[in-house]
Amino acid sequence: MQVDELFMKRCLELAGNGMGNVAPNPMVGCVIVHNGLIIGEGYHAVFGGTHAEVNAVNSVRNTELLPFSTLYVNLEPCSHFGKTPPCADFILEKGIRRVVIGTADPSEKVEGRGIEKMKSVGVEIKLGVLDEECRELNKRFFTFHTKKRPYVILKWAQTLDGYIDKDRKTLAPKINWITDKNTRMLVHRWRSEEQAILTGTKTVLLDNPQLTVREWSGNNPLRLVIDENLLVNKNSKVLDKSADTIVFNSKKDEIIDNVEWLKIDFHNEIITQILSILFKRDILSLIVEGGRETLQSFIDNGFWDEARIFTGNCFFFGGVRAPEIKGIHQNTRSIGEDKLSFIKNQDI
């Protein structure tokens, strides 16, 4: 591995510390190197807080070394005033003359302007170091700004014979667990990493899920429920005060405490409308934990980026079939007696 790649890898490690806390901003890490040694590093820790470049520079003990150092950052420094001043200007103020960037920023507010601003005054720029890895880390941010919708993750558990549930004729009689507690802990970690989580009416009526982070430390995602005819009981867990909730329905627009009922047109593309609303509200990522009908609707419309599929070590011998999905199989790993497969949408 070359020297620039080595330091960029450290930027990515630092950037990952912002997972679940910086959206709708990207995850960014920064390293400052003088004569082959790291003299400062930092990352963007929380939305609205100081950016990685500022934190890295502020960690340098001897600031007289900055003009003779290289700044590494996994994403192009911003060039606009937001909640914080432009990082490109900050870098110039500190006299840093060489900047190595993992990948350019695709957002309309930046889109190469940070690079051009630094180049215009003679800063040496190297772009594209570990570009693929940098884009992968911020896949939510890139999807949001290039596709104008959240990054969509589908998640479900199925049996060895391909069912996600048994046939249940009555409401909430019993949850038919397919995976074990260790797997459920992982799912709660995933929830803490995404901005929103969605399910459908039937899943709420049958399972009464809370859709929060309880077996992991982190932020609760925004809960989304598709409930056309307002069948979800007011005492359902998704309407409690533990997290904000939006109920997409055909009847009313209303806000009570942390719950918003939002009317959409169920005669037109439901998923398209929901994703458009989430985009306008700066929601970068969505995890879908619905039943077959909800999951299949995302698959059939092509509105998904990856699927995470658990296969439990059990059989149902009948019931509700798992969704049908085609994509690029990336890997499968074991979690106890369960198997977890990752599939990427081949059409994106």
Side-chain angles (χ1 to χ4, degrees):
M1 180 176 289
Q2 297 180 356
V3 172
D4 284 343
E5 291 179 347
L6 182 65
F7 290 125
M8 188 59 65
K9 184 178 180 181
R10 178 56 181 163
C11 289
L12 292 171
E13 291 172 350
L14 290 166
N17 291 325
M19 174 69 81
N21 294 310
V22 300
N25 285 350
M27 292 177 281
V28 182
C30 180
V31 171
I32 299 173
V33 177
H34 177 72
N35 288 342
L37 296 176
I38 294 176
I39 61 171
E41 58 183 30
Y43 64 93
H44 185 35
V46 62
F47 177 68
T50 51
H51 287 188
E53 297 93 325
V54 176
N55 289 330
V57 168
N58 287 343
S59 74
V60 176
R61 291 184 178 182
N62 184 359
T63 56
E64 293 181 359
L65 297 177
L66 289 174
F68 312 100
S69 302
T70 297
L71 183 145
Y72 292 82
V73 64
N74 59 291
L75 188 70
E76 174 186 359
C78 62
S79 56
H80 64 288
F81 282 89
K83 290 185 176 294
T84 61
C87 289
D89 289 355
F90 180 78
I91 292 169
L92 295 178
E93 289 170 6
K94 297 303 177 180
I96 297 170
R97 307 305 298 167
R98 183 173 188 260
V99 178
V100 178
I101 301 169
T103 189
D105 188 325
S107 65
E108 293 178 356
K109 292 180 179 179
V110 183
E111 213 171 18
R113 295 182 185 89
I115 293 172
E116 289 306 314
K117 178 178 284 191
M118 291 184 290
K119 273 186 175 181
S120 68
V121 294
V123 175
E124 178 188 343
I125 300 291
K126 183 174 181 179
L127 176 65
V129 176
L130 297 186
D131 180 86
E132 185 176 340
E133 292 88 339
C134 291
R135 288 173 177 270
E136 174 64 22
L137 176 72
N138 278 308
K139 56 191 176 184
R140 298 160 181 81
F141 183 77
F142 275 83
T143 296
F144 181 84
H145 286 285
T146 58
K147 296 184 178 295
K148 309 301 180 186
R149 64 163 175 82
Y151 186 88
V152 178
I153 300 168
L154 308 180
K155 171 257 154 183
W156 71 84
Q158 63 186 43
T159 61
L160 289 169
D161 52 349
Y163 294 94
I164 62 171
D165 200 358
K166 295 179 179 179
D167 285 319
R168 288 189 277 173
K169 306 301 181 184
T170 57
L171 301 184
K174 179 184 177 183
I175 296 178
N176 298 301
W177 292 109
I178 294 174
T179 56
D180 64 23
K181 187 174 182 178
N182 290 329
T183 297
R184 294 195 288 276
M185 185 183 297
L186 174 59
V187 170
H188 282 221
R189 193 195 86 185
W190 288 346
R191 290 176 182 176
S192 75
E193 296 172 348
E194 312 308 333
Q195 281 190 279
I197 184 170
L198 180 143
T199 195
T201 307
K202 191 172 182 180
T203 297
V204 174
L205 294 177
L206 288 174
D207 295 341
N208 193 21
Q210 194 169 6
L211 301 182
T212 56
V213 177
R214 301 182 303 282
E215 298 187 29
W216 194 264
S217 176
N219 299 317
N220 287 321
L222 172 67
R223 299 179 295 196
L224 310 173
V225 180
I226 301 175
D227 184 21
E228 179 179 0
N229 296 309
L230 298 178
L231 299 178
V232 172
N233 188 284
K234 65 179 181 179
N235 295 319
S236 297
K237 292 178 181 178
V238 290
L239 302 183
D240 67 17
K241 296 185 183 299
S242 60
D244 291 340
T245 303
I246 298 177
V247 180
F248 296 104
N249 69 94
S250 64
K251 307 292 184 182
K252 66 177 183 178
D253 289 312
E254 185 178 11
I255 299 177
I256 300 178
D257 297 327
N258 62 305
V259 181
E260 178 181 1
W261 286 266
L262 189 58
K263 188 176 178 180
I264 62 173
D265 184 2
F266 278 78
H267 295 293
N268 286 313
E269 296 290 340
I270 298 170
I271 305 303
T272 301
Q273 292 178 71
I274 291 174
L275 293 180
S276 177
I277 290 168
L278 296 181
F279 176 76
K280 292 175 182 177
R281 297 192 180 200
D282 282 337
I283 302 297
L284 260 63
S285 62
L286 170 67
I287 186 166
V288 182
E289 289 193 27
R292 178 189 165 86
E293 183 178 342
T294 300
L295 289 162
Q296 198 67 56
S297 65
F298 276 87
I299 296 169
D300 292 345
N301 284 282
F303 290 128
W304 66 282
D305 297 283
E306 65 176 274
R308 302 172 182 178
I309 305 170
F310 291 101
T311 301
N313 188 29
C314 61
F315 295 87
F316 278 178
F317 304 105
V320 181
R321 273 288 181 186
E324 297 178 8
I325 191 169
K326 292 181 180 179
I328 302 171
H329 181 271
Q330 297 197 292
N331 64 76
T332 297
R333 69 173 190 253
S334 297
I335 303 177
E337 293 187 348
D338 302 326
K339 300 291 185 183
L340 172 58
S341 298
F342 291 86
I343 297 176
K344 183 178 180 180
N345 190 342
Q346 60 189 356
D347 297 324
I348 60 174

